[in-house]
Amino acid sequence: MRRMPAEYEAHDGTILIWPVRPGSWTYGGKEAQATFTELARVIAQSETLYMCAYGDHLENVRETFKDDPNIKVLDIETNDSWARDIGPTYVDEDGVIKGTNWKFNAWGGDYDGLYLNYEEDDAFANKFCEVTGYDTVDEHDFVLEGGSIHTDGDGTLIVTETCLLSQGRNPHMTREQIEERLKRTLGVEKIIWLPYGINGDETNEHVDNICCFVKPGEVVMSWTDDVNDIQHEMCEANMRVFEQVRDAKGRKIKVHKMPLPAVPVVITEHDAAGYVYEEGEDTREVGEKLAASYANFYITNKHVIVPQFGDPNDKVACDILAKLFPDREVYPIMARSIIVGGGNIHCITQQIPKGV
């Protein structure tokens, strides 16, 4: 019998991938690497942190973390650094933790993918499981990213229609067939389909940017009261779903509204000058609004790590999460260097749950 544990359950570890891709990380990744380093050290306070790197970067990464016994540097090649999306999705199968290997196609493949060369990213889940000794669950005929699903660990999964029904994922499958595959593979009983994620999220609106469980029967959902913002209508549509649905155990879902940043996070001239793109890669322009969200936080055994943007709502987000996680310490971390890469704190982390 399988079960996908919730992120707030006990971890054995967390996966990160050293950021170097010049089309994602400005100035050769230098700005993002400082944030990844801080993040790795915080996570390693309460669990093993696996930092994956390769090639010319490997020795530098080993030197950076040589003083921390809880950080293990692994030699695994990738195309980019989105551990949540390319890493194995872990399930507990009769007390044994296994990693699910989905197909990764850069968020849309030939239809609307973000870069052309993603072979190493697609191979990462299997490689990581081989190196670390986890058995795999082979689902490689099914396109899925880890950031597109979120569970309460108690039989319920949340997804977005915009992502899972995208023509760039599994266009040959119906919604019902997709739902059945997820139920069988992850051991869930109920799937809640939200209509939307965050407007402008280039992952076709992953659920981890808009909504996540904080405990069974309770979620945090990104929210704006600005009726002139297209996101307001999208949030209202999601709320209507929660008002009508029950979870796998028959509970009505309690929604905690999480404000979006008060000031839009956009690409600056400094940011734009720092990218180097390869052929066929999605590009960014000065003034482009990024899908910044506080719902994209990460839970460790000790902390709730909350993205910050130098925004008036930074502290509001931390205060909300401090009340929802009284047994954990809120750790705010500046996330601008990550959001300019197209993601956030949750997008670059993948948890490994603790087995029996």
Side-chain angles (χ1 to χ4, degrees), residues 9-217:
E9 297 181 42
H11 293 190
D12 260 349
T14 293
I15 308 168
L16 286 175
I17 303 169
W18 194 244
V20 295
R21 182 184 179 88
S24 294
W25 308 105
T26 54
Y27 301 96
K30 297 300 183 185
E31 296 178 337
Q33 287 163 13
T35 304
F36 274 62
T37 299
E38 180 184 2
L39 183 61
R41 295 196 186 283
V42 174
I43 294 171
Q45 290 180 25
S46 60
E47 57 195 79
T48 301
L49 188 284
Y50 296 93
M51 181 66 78
C52 302
Y54 67 96
D56 295 341
H57 309 285
L58 189 59
E59 287 308 313
N60 175 54
V61 175
R62 285 176 172 157
E63 181 68 20
T64 298
F65 296 111
K66 67 180 181 180
D67 61 336
D68 196 325
N70 273 356
I71 299 179
K72 301 184 183 303
V73 179
L74 303 181
D75 182 0
I76 305 178
E77 185 174 355
T78 59
N79 301 107
D80 209 339
S81 305
W82 307 108
R84 174 70 52 167
D85 289 348
I86 69 173
T89 297
Y90 286 94
V91 293
D92 184 324
E93 187 168 319
D94 298 321
V96 177
I97 299 299
K98 298 181 178 182
T100 306
N101 177 35
W102 315 104
K103 182 175 181 59
F104 177 78
N105 69 353
W107 308 278
D110 293 339
Y111 182 77
D112 60 355
L114 300 183
Y115 46 83
L116 295 179
N117 301 311
Y118 48 81
E119 293 82 5
E120 299 300 336
D121 282 353
D122 186 34
F124 176 78
N126 256 349
K127 287 182 181 178
F128 185 87
C129 287
E130 288 174 5
V131 169
T132 52
Y134 288 94
D135 291 336
T136 58
V137 178
D138 184 13
E139 296 291 335
H140 197 252
D141 62 330
F142 187 76
V143 178
L144 192 83
E145 306 95 39
S148 69
I149 55 176
H150 197 81
T151 186
D152 65 351
D154 199 28
T156 305
L157 193 77
I158 306 178
V159 302
T160 61
E161 294 176 352
T162 44
C163 180
L164 266 64
L165 301 183
S166 161
Q167 288 299 298
R169 302 303 198 286
N170 302 286
H172 58 290
M173 299 179 71
T174 65
R175 171 173 167 151
E176 290 72 26
Q177 289 171 328
I178 292 171
E179 183 162 319
E180 181 56 36
R181 174 65 72 93
L182 293 174
K183 287 180 177 178
R184 174 175 61 80
T185 306
L186 303 176
V188 295
E189 307 160 46
K190 178 68 173 284
I191 297 179
I192 298 174
W193 291 80
L194 299 180
Y196 304 107
I198 296 292
N199 180 49
D201 185 343
E202 58 197 0
T203 64
N204 301 107
E205 301 175 18
H206 271 183
V207 72
D208 69 351
N209 229 12
I210 189 75
C211 184
C212 57
F213 283 105
V214 294
K215 64 173 65 173

